[in-house]
Amino acid sequence: MAKLSTLLILFLLSFLISATSLSLASIQDPELVVQEVHRSINASRRNLGYLSCGTGNPIDDCWRCDPNWEKNRQRLADCAIGFGKDAIGGKNGRIYVVTDSGNDDPVNPRPGTLRHAVIQDEPLWIIFKRDMVIKLEKELVMNSFKTIDGRGASVHVAGGACITIHYVSNVIIHGIHIHDCKPGSSGDIRNSPEHSGYWRVSDGDGVSIFDSQHVWVDHCSLSNCKDGLIDAIHGSTAITISNNYFTHHDKVMLLGHSDSYTRDKNMQVTVAFNHFGEGLVQRMPRCRHGYFHVVNNDYTHWEMYAIGGSASPTINSQGNRFLAPNERFKKEVTKHEDAPESEWSRWNWRSEGDLFLNGAFFRQTGAGAASSTYARASSLSARPSSLVGSITVASGALNCRKGSRC
């Protein structure tokens, strides 16, 4: 009996030691947890990368299921959503094929170049004959009713000045790489067949939108520019920025010119289905005055903050996934700028259905979540944040090949 009692005691001790070991093993280092989240996110992107449709992304599911997309390119213009949904670009215009990646003459552009295409007065759907890198001497000043469609080629606007959308409407930029943009030199630039004029040194934005309407930037990969990756200022509105992949940049996106420029009170911008990836610091976006719908984006990196603003913008954040950095004092998603708390506490910023990881948090201010104030900052129905991985898996410029789903 004594021997049996001794064996029972030894068994119980052994069980307790094993259970304790298992319990300790389940307490993981916080940094390892974050690494595992990153790993699972990247794995989900790789595993889902073969999907061409049925992702729950309403823009992609509108056109990417079609293996004959190359013969039906202009169908894309019917797939826009959000505040920029009426941007038709060059729909119903002729196809213009860019064949010349060099010879950038800002005043007398050669036929076959991208610059020659974008300044024409007629609606044009601009495509590319082959892979190319386009280095611009001065900023590319676009005319209205143009689509730049990079599908079927690897097109890089890089290493020089980049794209300016200035006092125009109905522009679509889709499927190109925009990176390493630098300020363009001052001088004459042609913006239509009939007119050229003097332009000052540009800021070095990837895409600069100035007093323009009905603009859609979709499925582009943007990184490492001198100023912003995408800036919209001076009364611009009716804009959708969707399905883009942003990396390696400080001030990512400015929406609103300055605190004193009150014309931006009418600005409405949708920021949807984008992946804000590695090497980003701030402004995803930074907003002023207007109405901003930030919906179903994947934030996997920021160094200062993700969403910020000043001058009482209305920010409606819905169904996003926010993964905070490891640094203890950089967990906040939001940054209220250039005002005392007594003022910014009244700005209407809300978070609804967002997913917060690794201690991320959103500082809500102003009117309650159900307030009608947010009606002008609502542009589409948010999907659950649990679907963000599949919705954004194909963000950035796509590798589309003729005869197969994109």
Side-chain angles (χ1 to χ4, degrees), residues 214-266:
H214 306 300
V215 177
W216 182 26
V217 182
D218 184 59
H219 270 299
C220 292
S221 297
L222 302 101
S223 65
N224 196 37
C225 293
K226 179 66 175 179
D227 194 21
L229 293 182
I230 300 177
D231 284 3
I233 61 172
H234 270 265
S236 297
T237 191
I239 298 166
T240 293
I241 298 167
S242 58
N243 291 313
N244 301 291
Y245 185 35
F246 299 97
T247 59
H248 301 105
H249 192 79
D250 180 3
K251 299 174 180 179
V252 177
M253 193 185 306
L254 175 66
L255 305 177
H257 177 63
S258 68
D259 288 4
S260 61
Y261 193 81
T262 56
R263 263 194 72 206
D264 284 332
K265 286 185 177 181
N266 294 320

Side-chain angles (χ1 to χ4, degrees), residues 303-315:
E303 291 183 16
M304 289 179 62
Y305 67 90
I307 300 171
S310 60
S312 191
T314 298
I315 298 176

Side-chain angles (χ1 to χ4, degrees), residues 45 241-244 246 253 270-276 284-285 293-300 307 316-322 354-355 385 388-389 391-392:
R45 291 185 184 280
I241 298 167
S242 58
N243 291 313
N244 301 291
F246 299 97
M253 193 185 306
T270 299
V271 180
F273 316 142
N274 303 285
H275 179 200
F276 294 94
M284 299 172 246
H293 196 190
V294 183
V295 54
N296 289 145
N297 301 282
D298 199 6
Y299 291 83
T300 55
I307 300 171
N316 187 8
S317 173
Q318 293 184 305
N320 301 287
R321 178 165 69 177
F322 297 102
D354 291 325
L355 176 62
S385 57
V388 163
I391 289 172
T392 65

Side-chain angles (χ1 to χ4, degrees), residues 80 82-89 170 214:
F83 291 124
K85 67 182 183 302
D86 294 328
I88 63 171
N170 288 283
H214 306 300

